[in-house]
Amino acid sequence: MDSFGGRALAAVLFDLDGTLVDSTAAVVRSWARWAQEEGVDPRALNGSHGRPAAEIAASVLPAGRVTAAVARIEAIELADTGGVAPLPGAVAALVALPDGRAAVATSCTRPLAAARIGAAGLAAPRVVVTVDDVTRGKPAPDPFLLAAERLGVDPTRCLVVEDAPAGLAGARAAGCATLAVTTTHGPDELEADVVVATLADVVLAATGAGVEVRLA
């Protein structure tokens, strides 16, 4: 696929929720419960997908309530993984890429990422970067820069697979190529080099030189 500016790709950095796993129902249930408990209008959470929980809480609550509120949403989400499942193409994409060629970079905390990966039955790559590992989460580039560093590759030779505008903004800021899936947002909302419906629409393959990507 020549839509990535002709760059030779060394690795793929996957977002988690909405990209590898379908956690939408659990996320909606959890945040609706949290909003009710916190007295927050659920409409204030619109457009928050892909952002760290602490950033979302800070945007709708007084500063003094944020720490406890973040702990509460974490507890709610950890307790609710009902219906979490792999998205089309996710299993094949991870199987196709060996350690050193793939990583996960997510706005989840480490416990929540582990819970959702486990609930979906996915075999996670060795490198999983969570919001616990960085000072700034998406849309900052930090998660992708750290994932590339831990893989030992140049971020400009990484392909980021994302479903949310915040994640794509972070990927562009990190200098990565971008592939968007339309699992949670329409194509008109996603600024990426290539936009597909799901990972089932592409084939990833590891080569001696890096990673090849082609349309299925």
Side-chain angles (χ1 to χ4, degrees):
M1 186 181 296
D2 61 5
S3 299
F4 303 121
R7 70 178 87 189
L9 299 174
V12 181
L13 314 179
F14 297 95
D15 173 51
L16 182 61
D17 295 293
T19 299
L20 292 176
V21 304
D22 181 0
S23 57
T24 299
V27 169
V28 170
R29 286 193 303 267
S30 296
W31 281 93
R33 178 177 174 182
W34 178 88
Q36 182 178 34
E37 290 182 3
E38 295 292 336
V40 171
D41 184 343
R43 292 173 295 184
L45 304 177
N46 291 344
S48 296
H49 182 71
R51 296 165 58 201
E55 182 181 314
I56 298 170
S59 71
V60 296
L61 292 174
R65 290 173 56 190
V66 169
T67 298
V70 170
R72 180 56 183 152
I73 187 57
E74 173 83 354
I76 293 172
E77 290 195 292
L78 282 172
D80 187 353
T81 56
V84 174
L87 281 161
V91 173
L94 290 175
V95 168
L97 301 177
D99 278 339
R101 298 294 186 200
V104 170
T106 175
S107 292
C108 288
T109 62
R110 185 161 293 278
L112 185 56
R116 288 184 177 159
I117 290 170
L122 294 177
R126 174 179 52 84
V127 173
V128 177
V129 172
T130 73
V131 72
D132 296 330
D133 300 311
V134 295
T135 301
R136 302 180 304 165
K138 304 171 188 177
D142 303 33
F144 302 116
L145 294 173
L146 181 58
E149 179 184 330
R150 289 182 174 176
L151 289 174
V153 299
D154 187 330
T156 65
R157 294 190 61 207
C158 290
L159 173 66
V160 167
V161 186
E162 267 280 357
D163 70 305
L168 290 168
R172 290 193 301 274
C176 304
T178 51
L179 172 68
V181 292
T182 59
T183 51
T184 62
H185 291 77
D188 57 326
E189 301 176 84
L190 301 171
E191 184 181 342
D193 296 310
V194 176
V195 180
V196 296
T198 70
L199 277 166
D201 295 308
V202 296
V203 176
L204 304 177
T207 70
V211 176
E212 289 185 351
V213 186
R214 62 179 174 83
L215 292 176

